């Protein structure tokens, strides 16, 4: 499922749609990346921030809902579907 991993709202809504669509969230592969190639002396701070938002921030945002599901804090229907697969 493609999504903007730098947008917390988009990530949360995407995860919420996965269980009804696929039945369970068994495995999560956070595979997002962006590469902006500039020499260090001419690279901008905004480019560096964008790369970090995708690489680091995206990994946190995409994994946090799965951790929340495991802790049992999501709706019962989604939780029971996840627990069956776990």
């Amino acid at each position: 499922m493609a999504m903007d991993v730098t947008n917390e709202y988009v990530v949360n809504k995407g995860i919420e749609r996965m269980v009804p669509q696929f039945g369970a969230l068994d495995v999560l592969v956070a595979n997002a990346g962006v590469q902006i190639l500039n020499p260090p002396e001419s690279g901008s701070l905004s480019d560096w921030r964008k790369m970090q938002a995708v690489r680091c921030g995206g990994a946190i945002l995409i994994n946090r809902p799965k951790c929340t599901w495991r802790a049992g804090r999501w709706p019962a229907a989604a939780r029971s579907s996840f627990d069956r697969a776990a």
Side-chain angles (χ1 to χ4, degrees):
M1 176 175 282
M3 66 181 73
D4 176 0
V5 297
T6 65
N7 184 318
E8 186 172 10
Y9 177 81
V10 170
V11 169
N12 288 337
K13 289 300 175 186
I15 297 290
E16 284 177 11
R17 287 193 323 258
M18 281 185 199
V19 170
Q21 185 175 353
F22 298 110
L25 181 59
D26 299 325
V27 176
L28 176 66
V29 177
N31 185 25
V34 61
Q35 183 67 34
I36 301 170
L37 298 173
N38 290 320
E41 66 275 5
S42 65
S44 70
L45 184 57
S46 64
D47 285 346
W48 181 85
R49 286 182 174 152
K50 179 178 182 176
M51 288 188 296
Q52 294 306 313
V54 172
R55 293 174 181 168
C56 300
I60 290 169
L61 291 179
I62 199 72
N63 279 289
R64 187 169 34 198
K66 184 169 171 55
C67 295
T68 304
W69 272 14
R70 292 297 280 170
R73 292 187 297 253
W74 276 33
R79 190 170 55 248
S80 63
S81 177
F82 181 82
D83 290 341
R84 278 195 313 269

